[in-house]
Amino acid sequence: EAQVTQNPRYLITVTGKKLTVTCSQNMNHEYMSWYRQDPGLGLRQIYYSMNVEVTDKGDVPEGYKVSRKEKRNFPLILESPSPNQTSLYFCASALAPNDVYEQYFGPGTRLTVT
Amino acid sequence: DAKTTQPNSMESNEEEPVHLPCNHSTISGTDYIHWYRQLPSQGPEYVIHGLTSNVNNRMASLAIAEDRKSSTLILHRATLRDAAVYYCILMYNQGGKLIFGQGTELSVKP
């Protein structure tokens, strides 16, 4: 089944403790992206990747890192999480950089930073 | 960056057409207009996209104004399953950066 998977689905952590949220897709998509969703703010793009080893900032990249060492995986790293990073996070993928109209989204990761 | 403006909420009756508007007055010539929807407790789902011409697919139609400063997503016959938040999104140049609007929460009454 074609899908985007995220792990973990739920995470509660403390301020300053490094964490990684994994994202994996099995569709051989070149394009991948991370979003966060907050009440009243809708979805905002954090980072995106056009292909392996190619990443760029979205609207709200501060406090986050990403890497794209292989096509199927695009982990989101929070080096020193803070409470304002409490949010619902979505990973998405699309076939190619010039074909990003149909993005497939993962089920979401709900992160709470205390 | 180009932004979109959508009404916060709309209501519709089941089996009737729904027209969801979106304003994007600062759109640039290469920006594509995309629509996604998000059902409760799920990730967003692609609906339709276009550049200049009106577009149709099995889910919906997209009507784009001639000056491209606005567009309308048309659901031809709303069902209860169409109740969701609908996002009008501009593709910022060709680089993959998506700028989401606030979204319109559509409720469908039986």
Side-chain angles (χ1 to χ4, degrees), chain B residues 28-44:
Chain B
S28 72
T30 56
D31 283 336
Y32 281 76
I33 302 158
H34 303 248
W35 283 82
Y36 280 71
R37 71 180 186 181
Q38 187 172 18
L39 278 65
S41 302
Q42 295 188 25

Side-chain angles (χ1 to χ4, degrees), chain B residues 46-59:
Chain B
Y46 167 80
V47 177
I48 201 167
H49 83 287
L51 182 62
T52 56
S53 304
N54 295 343
V55 184
N56 300 296
N57 67 18
R58 62 176 178 80
M59 288 183 69

Side-chain angles (χ1 to χ4, degrees), chain A residues 31 35 37 40-45 48 50 57-59 88 90 97-98 100-103 105-107, chain B residues 1 3 34 36 38 41-46 48-49 87 91 93-102:
Chain A
Y31 176 91
Y35 300 86
Q37 184 171 33
L41 296 176
L43 281 103
R44 294 178 292 170
Q45 192 176 44
Y48 63 95
M50 304 283 267
K57 297 177 180 178
D59 277 339
L88 179 59
F90 289 102
N98 290 328
V100 292
Y101 61 86
E102 185 169 2
Q103 294 195 22
F105 282 77
Chain B
D1 291 346
K3 303 285 186 198
H34 303 248
Y36 280 71
Q38 187 172 18
S41 302
Q42 295 188 25
E45 173 188 31
Y46 167 80
I48 201 167
H49 83 287
Y87 290 97
M91 173 69 75
N93 60 46
Q94 296 296 318
K97 179 178 179 179
L98 293 178
I99 304 171
F100 278 73
Q102 291 300 308

Side-chain angles (χ1 to χ4, degrees), chain A residues 18 34 46-47 61 63-67 75-79:
Chain A
K18 180 179 178 180
W34 275 103
I46 304 171
Y47 270 95
Y64 304 94
K65 285 176 58 177
V66 293
S67 68
L76 180 69
I77 303 155
L78 285 71
E79 294 270 3

Side-chain angles (χ1 to χ4, degrees), chain A residues 23-101:
Chain A
C23 173
S24 182
Q25 49 90 7
N26 62 359
M27 296 168 279
N28 202 36
H29 284 173
E30 290 186 5
Y31 176 91
M32 297 186 74
S33 182
W34 275 103
Y35 300 86
R36 62 177 287 175
Q37 184 171 33
D38 302 288
L41 296 176
L43 281 103
R44 294 178 292 170
Q45 192 176 44
I46 304 171
Y47 270 95
Y48 63 95
S49 170
M50 304 283 267
N51 211 328
V52 175
E53 302 291 1
V54 180
T55 62
D56 207 347
K57 297 177 180 178
D59 277 339
V60 288
E62 295 79 18
Y64 304 94
K65 285 176 58 177
V66 293
S67 68
R68 189 88 182 277
K69 291 184 170 53
E70 48 189 341
K71 186 180 279 192
R72 65 181 294 127
N73 296 322
F74 189 44
L76 180 69
I77 303 155
L78 285 71
E79 294 270 3
S80 182
S82 62
N84 65 13
Q85 293 179 298
T86 292
S87 187
L88 179 59
Y89 291 86
F90 289 102
C91 179
S93 72
L95 183 60
N98 290 328
D99 194 12
V100 292
Y101 61 86

Side-chain angles (χ1 to χ4, degrees), chain B residues 12 14 24 31 43 46 53-54 72 76 78 89 104 110:
Chain B
S12 173
E14 198 175 11
H24 29 79
D31 283 336
Y46 167 80
S53 304
N54 295 343
T72 302
H76 296 287
I89 302 159
T104 296

